[in-house]
Amino acid sequence: MKTPVIAPSILSSDFARLKEEVDEVIRAGCDWIHIDVMDGHFVPNLTLGPPIVKALRRHVEATLDVHLMVECPERWIPAFVDAGADILTVHYEATPHVHRALQMIREAGLKAGLALNPGTPPDGLSYLVSDVDLVLVMTVNPGYGGQSLIPSTLAKVAEVRRMLDDAGRQDVHVEVDGGIHAGTIRRARSAGADVFVAGSAVFDELDRAKAIEALRRALDS
Ligand SMILES: O=C(CO)[C@@H](O)[C@H](O)COP(=O)(O)O
Ligand SMILES: [Co+2]
């Protein structure tokens, strides 16, 4: 089983103090930072773009795990590559050319992620198992932090892990995203996830190191 990774999502951080916020979770031992890019079309919220990723890249060594909740993500891949993203995850539902989008990410030398909304069956993954380095299973409907995990998505986590292992892709990360906190992380781990996005569970707390430690303890419980 892959070593668990906690990836704090900056969506719930104080954007006016972003560098300090990110430094704080890195000091607490996190080496992935989850960055939610929303365009107000694919999801009903608007967040940030390549300049913020570029600014963070100048200051942090952490893995920048960029979650593109945007229509036609293939249009944005070059800009986020130039900005310094390490992982670019595109939504299966966001383009008719998802295979091409994944190819573009890899051709640029980055890790390619495929995201599945709660209502999307994992069947399409069977045609893409060779083209992904990460599968992000949305455990909430995308667009906002602080939502509750949708229990039915955990069966999909297990199905995705099984599909990847059956295809000999044990190397591919399975990331869960949305509603992950000390009360849900263990179930997500048991279902087969190894990367755990945590936004409000970390940044809504005053003591982030304590919040991250609580997630780690819950993982081991
Ligand atoms: O992509 C998204 C939301 O669309 C997530 O990355 C959220 O940022 C997770 O927030 P929490 O549910 O952990 O508060
Ligand atoms: Co996300």
Side-chain angles (χ1 to χ4, degrees):
M1 204 175 229
K2 296 171 84 69
T3 307
V5 171
I6 292 172
S9 161
I10 64 169
L11 182 64
S12 295
S13 71
D14 177 354
F15 276 13
R17 298 177 53 252
L18 188 54
K19 180 182 179 310
E20 292 84 344
E21 296 275 82
V22 169
D23 283 346
E24 193 172 349
V25 295
I26 290 175
R27 280 198 303 274
C30 295
D31 48 22
W32 286 38
I33 300 297
H34 186 80
I35 300 172
D36 287 310
V37 179
M38 301 180 189
D39 65 357
H41 295 280
F42 180 68
V43 290
N45 197 357
L46 183 62
T47 57
L48 55 91
I52 301 295
V53 175
K54 190 168 190 168
L56 273 179
R57 183 77 292 165
R58 279 199 294 270
H59 296 285
V60 300
E61 294 296 312
T63 295
L64 298 186
D65 172 36
V66 177
H67 179 191
L68 295 176
M69 287 164 276
V70 302
E71 284 181 355
C72 301
E74 56 272 24
R75 285 175 29 204
W76 289 102
I77 289 166
F80 281 99
V81 170
D82 293 346
D86 294 292
I87 302 168
L88 277 181
T89 295
V90 297
H91 268 262
Y92 183 80
E93 308 88 357
T95 170
H97 306 295
V98 70
H99 181 273
R100 179 65 196 130
L102 294 166
Q103 262 185 338
M104 287 172 70
I105 296 167
R106 278 200 164 158
E107 285 165 2
L110 277 63
K111 297 286 187 193
L114 176 71
L116 303 171
N117 279 338
T120 303
D123 309 47
L125 175 62
S126 54
Y127 300 100
L128 299 165
V129 283
S130 306
D131 305 291
V132 295
D133 303 294
L134 177 146
V135 178
L136 186 158
V137 178
M138 286 304 299
T139 38
V140 297
N141 286 300
Y144 298 94
Q147 301 179 77
S148 299
L149 179 141
I150 301 168
S152 62
T153 59
L154 293 178
K156 190 193 304 182
V157 171
E159 176 62 16
V160 164
R161 186 70 270 167
R162 201 168 21 252
M163 291 171 76
L164 292 166
D165 291 349
D166 290 351
R169 295 301 316 274
Q170 288 80 357
D171 59 305
V172 175
H173 291 289
V174 175
E175 183 173 39
V176 285
D177 189 5
I180 299 298
H181 52 66
T184 58
I185 195 168
R186 186 79 195 97
R187 277 187 288 155
R189 174 80 167 147
S190 304
D194 64 284
V195 180
F196 305 89
V197 175
S200 50
V202 172
F203 286 111
D204 283 4
E205 300 299 323
L206 278 176
D207 186 334
R208 279 64 185 270
K210 196 171 162 196
I212 291 162
E213 189 45 41
L215 290 169
R216 290 203 177 100
R217 273 201 311 275
L219 268 175
D220 298 335
S221 64

